Amino acid sequence: MKALNIVAAFLGGVALGAAAGILFAPEKGEETRRKIAEILRQKGIRLNRAEMEDLVDQIAAEVKDAE
């Protein structure tokens, strides 16, 4: 069970890291959300539009706090 939690945390970190990297790219918000959704789909994670917007807001807040 612990190994599964570690793998889940690692995959979550990878997804958040990739999403944060995309957020720094100078593109429109819609294009950024599309890229994040594509990366998550490749990882087998499906989110609806509201969940995606919440994720983007959460990542943006974490990136802003890290500055």
Side-chain angles (χ1 to χ4, degrees):
M1 187 71 171
K2 258 188 175 178
L4 182 60
N5 288 340
I6 292 171
V7 170
F10 175 77
L11 291 176
V14 168
L16 286 175
I22 291 172
L23 286 174
F24 281 114
E27 296 177 345
K28 292 182 178 179
E30 184 176 322
E31 182 65 18
T32 300
R33 284 189 292 278
R34 187 192 63 74
K35 284 186 174 188
I36 292 171
E38 180 61 32
I39 290 169
L40 293 176
R41 275 194 289 276
Q42 290 173 357
K43 305 287 183 198
I45 301 169
R46 305 268 186 223
L47 298 175
N48 64 36
R49 185 173 189 86
E51 292 169 327
M52 175 60 68
E53 289 175 3
D54 289 344
L55 177 61
V56 169
D57 291 342
Q58 180 183 358
I59 293 169
E62 298 231 358
V63 168
K64 187 175 182 180
D65 290 343
E67 292 177 341

